[in-house]
């Protein structure tokens, strides 16, 4: 990586990957998908002497968004999500906090993004890639200068996200992955929402869903 350092913490009951992307020159950072365990995430931030500047949500399920407000309030930083994910965030039956956790919760974002929108945060230039299908407003975040993609639950190592939840569509998800993600450089590191990381090249060659 050019200017970035990545820390990963597995959080919550379904083993979600939460990431801290650190700009090593400025010691500023981004939090991606802080789904649970806010105190452990604060420890990760502190150990790296990083200053969080924003929270990026790939989608609104409880296991990715659950600790976002706590951390956003603590660090006084904005939460970002795709504009089509507002309903998922705000409805417990769709964000699965009710059905799966038995504890209905409402989530939010401060800034709602559009497909292919480009933003600059913590010294990183970020491109938003809309990849619905796991949820109606799921997206990925691509950082070209670092050759890194945060894929959430859209693309996994050797697999793709589940599509049997509200707002899911297998055809839509696969089409978005092919049209948006498989066009990225083959060396791009893919940091997934669960389980192992991968690369675009590996998924082009071996992912049976693509």
């Amino acid at each position: 990586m050019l200017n970035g350092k990545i820390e990963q913490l597995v959080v919550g009951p379904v083993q979600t990957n939460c990431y801290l992307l650190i700009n090593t020159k400025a010691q500023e950072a981004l939090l991606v998908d802080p789904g649970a365990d806010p105190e452990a995430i604060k420890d990760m931030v502190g150990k790296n002497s990083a200053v969080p500047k924003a929270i990026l949500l790939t989608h609104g399920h409880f296991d990715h968004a659950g600790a976002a407000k706590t951390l956003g309030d603590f660090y006084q930083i904005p939460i970002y999500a795709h504009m089509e994910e507002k309903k998922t965030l705000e409805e417990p039956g769709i964000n699965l906090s009710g059905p799966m956790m038995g504890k209905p919760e409402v989530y939010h974002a401060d800034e709602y993004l559009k497909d292919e929108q480009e933003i600059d945060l913590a010294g990183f230039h970020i491109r938003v890639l809309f990849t619905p299908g796991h949820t109606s407003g799921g997206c990925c975040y691509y950082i070209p200068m670092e050759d890194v993609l945060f894929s959430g639950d859209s693309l996994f190592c050797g697999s793709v996200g589940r599509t049997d939840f509200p707002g899911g569509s297998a055809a839509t998800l696969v089409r978005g992955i092919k049209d948006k993600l498989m066009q990225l450089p083959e060396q791009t590191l893919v940091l997934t929402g669960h389980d192992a990381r991968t690369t675009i090249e590996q998924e082009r060659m071996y992912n049976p869903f693509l």
Side-chain angles (χ1 to χ4, degrees):
M1 298 184 70
L2 188 63
N3 296 319
K5 173 186 175 184
I6 297 166
E7 294 288 342
Q8 177 182 337
L9 184 67
V10 179
V11 300
V14 287
Q15 301 289 282
T16 302
N17 292 329
C18 170
Y19 296 100
L20 182 69
L21 176 63
I22 306 165
N23 182 324
T24 54
K25 289 187 175 180
Q27 281 304 112
E28 297 179 343
L30 302 174
L31 278 167
V32 183
D33 287 349
D37 301 337
E39 295 307 315
I41 294 172
K42 290 177 191 178
D43 287 344
M44 175 174 65
V45 172
K47 287 175 182 176
N48 285 278
S49 301
V51 179
K53 291 296 181 179
I55 293 170
L56 304 179
L57 299 179
T58 60
H59 63 292
H61 283 161
F62 76 94
D63 58 316
H64 291 255
K69 185 180 189 305
T70 298
L71 293 166
D73 290 347
F74 181 79
Y75 292 113
Q76 292 294 291
I77 56 176
I79 301 167
Y80 289 79
H82 192 273
M83 61 187 299
E84 296 296 331
E85 196 68 347
K86 189 172 189 293
K87 185 175 180 181
T88 301
L89 287 163
E90 294 179 352
E91 295 194 15
I94 303 177
N95 67 41
L96 305 180
S97 61
M100 295 189 72
M101 294 297 290
K103 184 183 176 184
E105 293 185 343
V106 174
Y107 309 124
H108 82 287
D110 301 294
E111 301 282 345
Y112 285 99
L113 304 166
K114 299 178 180 178
D115 183 29
E116 297 291 349
Q117 185 171 342
E118 299 186 9
I119 55 175
D120 293 287
L121 297 168
F124 295 107
H125 186 70
I126 303 160
R127 185 173 149 209
V128 181
L129 301 175
F130 184 42
T131 53
H134 177 64
T135 63
S136 58
C139 71
C140 301
Y141 299 100
Y142 175 52
I143 297 94
M145 291 299 293
E146 303 296 327
D147 285 329
V148 168
L149 176 79
F150 294 96
S151 67
D153 287 2
S154 292
L155 178 64
F156 293 121
C157 180
S159 188
V160 299
R162 289 179 60 172
T163 57
D164 56 337
F165 297 133
S169 167
T172 300
L173 180 60
V174 171
R175 182 167 62 249
I177 292 171
K178 287 181 176 180
D179 291 349
K180 299 282 185 178
L181 307 187
M182 292 300 106
Q183 306 308 313
L184 299 176
E186 63 182 18
Q187 73 273 11
T188 301
L189 176 65
V190 180
L191 298 174
T192 61
H194 302 273
D195 301 321
R197 58 186 61 186
T198 184
T199 64
I200 292 298
E201 180 182 29
Q202 183 171 333
E203 299 315 302
R204 283 180 188 162
M205 293 176 65
Y206 301 116
N207 194 310
F209 294 89
L210 306 178

